[in-house]
Amino acid sequence: MAVYSAAAAVLAGVESRQGSLKGLVYASNFQNVKQLYALVCETQRYSAVLDAVIANAGLLRAEKKLRPHLAKVLVYDLLLGRGFRGRGGRWKPLLERHQARLKAELARLKVRQGVSRNEDLLEVGSKPGSASQVPRFVRVNTLKTCAEDAIDYFKRQGFSYQGRASGLDDIRALKGKCFLLDPLLPELLVFPAQTDLHDHPLYQAGHLILQDKASCLPAMLLAPPPGSHVIDACAAPGNKTSHLAALLKNQGKIFAFDQDAKRLASMATLLARAGVSCCELAEQDFLTVSPSDQRYCQVQYILLDPSCSGSGMPSRQLEEPKAGMPSPERLRALAAFQQRALSHALTFPALRRLVYSTCSVCQEENEDVVHAALQQSLGAFRLAAVLPSWPHRGLGAFPGAEHCLRASPETTLTGGFFIAVLERVEVPSSVSQAEAADSELTPSPAPKGKKRRRKAAATPGT
């Protein structure tokens, strides 16, 4: 029905800051302005709830032609509004095919939040509670130990290993001294939200890295094989750099840049503790690094995680729950820098694969930046289709944006994050490790914690 398409267009316009909600409603030329305004307002009010339900139900994965904003309007009306009474048109049978799953996900969300009414979800969503429930993710540093040995160490300390998680529900159920292996990343352990491991001997010795799951995805998806030359363009504080070094097995070279001398000094300490020996640190603005410099002629992989608003960071949500979104002026300035950095990175002559990531939830810093850089590359690069079963995809800002990944406390139990993987169109015929990351990763059997212990994990002081 026309009202759904009109409402989706208004929502998209509001999110991309094309105008005010009222202004866009009146500019839509839709005949029943009052009806359209009410539908958009209510859909926007329940936006976080609808995002979670749609992602957890896998609606956009199942219905490839259904755009995110239209899906949100339709699901609102189906679950929270009039229920398609007298309207729905060609979308009605499509949504009704998924009705049972959508209703089940809404019910599950209410159970998790401890509420009984739909309206109560708004009160929960206005508080930082969801951010406080993000679990403690711990990446095992494979330069010093392995997952099996780390698991054995925790078991000897009285923790209960629950095996590999089968999904988000297993992770949500974690309590006390129980922990799991992440279902996607084979070196990522998952503990209950309030677990504090800063004083743990394995962390102090650099065998463990306290790193959110979403923050682990960029290096994993870049997937440089050992021996590669890699640029980490905006590297501090260094967690992603240490992850890249682990993937490289310290074989090859990482050129890590950052402008902040204090952050670089802290990063050098972190990398030394993690056993990283293949990294060359430089106090330099990445925008001033020349792609024609012979030192970088073999760089085929770039990780670009530039300065951003930090609007997706759980710690920011908890510490500044009323901070809201950054101002339009700050967003424009950040996006301009991010676009310059991404376009600059794409000019390195040997580049084959690049991962762009932010801890922002703002379209201006994410999909808009990627779209502009792709247009500027004149067809030399394209978005790689990665992790097809990841539940939270990019906003439908341009064709192909669904290949981007998003993350949030509600949909993925992580901090808010954005990731895009760009690959050169003229890919060599040989199959690389990075190409393997384009398809869903097949997890190896979950460690049982009974294998030979490496000395490094048993003696964390070394």
Side-chain angles (χ1 to χ4, degrees), residues 1-4 6 25-33 35-36:
M1 191 175 177
V3 67
Y4 296 125
V25 166
Y26 281 104
S28 70
N29 294 322
F30 186 74
Q31 187 174 3
N32 192 334
V33 171
Q35 179 193 30
L36 177 61

Side-chain angles (χ1 to χ4, degrees), residues 45-46 49 79-81 106-107 110 115-124:
R45 197 159 70 102
Y46 281 94
V49 174
L79 300 183
L80 307 170
L106 179 62
K110 286 192 280 192
V115 301
S116 58
R117 301 182 308 158
N118 294 333
E119 293 81 2
D120 296 333
L121 288 170
L122 296 174
E123 296 180 14
V124 172

Side-chain angles (χ1 to χ4, degrees), residues 145 149-150 153-154 199-208 456-460:
T145 187
D149 290 352
Y153 194 98
F154 278 109
D199 294 326
H200 195 279
L202 289 184
Y203 170 71
Q204 294 289 342
H207 296 202
L208 302 178
T459 55

Side-chain angles (χ1 to χ4, degrees), residues 200-444:
H200 195 279
L202 289 184
Y203 170 71
Q204 294 289 342
H207 296 202
L208 302 178
I209 310 291
L210 306 183
Q211 186 174 1
D212 184 65
K213 177 177 178 175
S215 178
C216 294
L217 292 177
M220 183 202 81
L221 291 171
L222 189 62
S228 302
H229 284 203
V230 182
I231 283 179
D232 191 348
C234 304
N239 283 340
K240 297 181 186 70
T241 316
S242 70
H243 195 183
L244 287 170
L247 293 170
L248 290 172
K249 301 179 181 178
N250 264 340
Q251 300 168 25
K253 176 72 75 173
I254 301 173
F255 301 98
F257 300 97
D258 205 277
Q259 293 187 82
D260 192 310
K262 289 183 179 179
R263 282 163 58 88
L264 270 182
S266 299
M267 179 176 170
T269 302
L270 181 152
L271 296 181
R273 186 173 65 188
V276 174
S277 60
C278 64
C279 186
E280 180 182 300
L281 294 178
E283 184 184 337
Q284 185 176 355
D285 181 353
F286 173 63
L287 289 172
T288 68
V289 178
S290 172
S292 61
D293 191 318
Q294 284 302 300
R295 285 178 295 176
Y296 315 122
C297 66
Q298 298 182 59
V299 170
Q300 294 185 322
Y301 302 89
I302 294 180
L303 194 159
L304 175 60
D305 188 80
S307 299
C308 70
S309 64
S311 54
M313 295 174 65
S315 58
R316 185 174 184 269
Q317 296 173 32
L318 294 172
E319 294 164 9
E320 307 173 69
K322 296 182 180 178
M325 289 292 107
S327 68
E329 293 76 17
R330 174 162 164 73
L331 273 180
R332 279 194 291 270
L334 285 167
F337 161 72
Q338 292 153 353
Q339 186 180 331
R340 286 198 305 273
L342 180 51
S343 295
H344 179 63
L346 295 179
T347 63
F348 280 74
L351 179 66
R352 291 180 55 199
R353 190 175 180 92
L354 177 146
V355 170
Y356 174 82
S357 62
T358 74
C359 54
S360 168
V361 299
C362 300
Q363 178 181 323
E364 293 89 340
E365 300 178 86
N366 298 327
E367 289 89 354
D368 291 354
V369 168
V370 171
H371 189 205
L374 285 172
Q375 288 183 315
Q376 191 170 335
S377 79
L378 300 177
F381 287 86
R382 65 188 175 199
L383 279 172
V386 295
L387 300 184
S389 70
W390 187 260
H392 198 167
R393 315 304 296 189
L395 300 177
F398 61 94
E402 67 276 4
H403 294 322
C404 302
L405 306 180
R406 279 180 169 261
S408 71
E410 296 81 10
T411 60
T412 56
L413 290 182
T414 66
F417 218 78
F418 173 87
I419 303 164
V421 182
L422 284 72
E423 61 184 7
R424 191 178 291 276
V425 172
E426 302 82 15
V427 178
S429 59
S430 59
V431 177
S432 69
Q433 180 182 348
E435 288 166 334
D438 286 350
S439 58
E440 194 67 58
L441 299 184
T442 303
S444 56

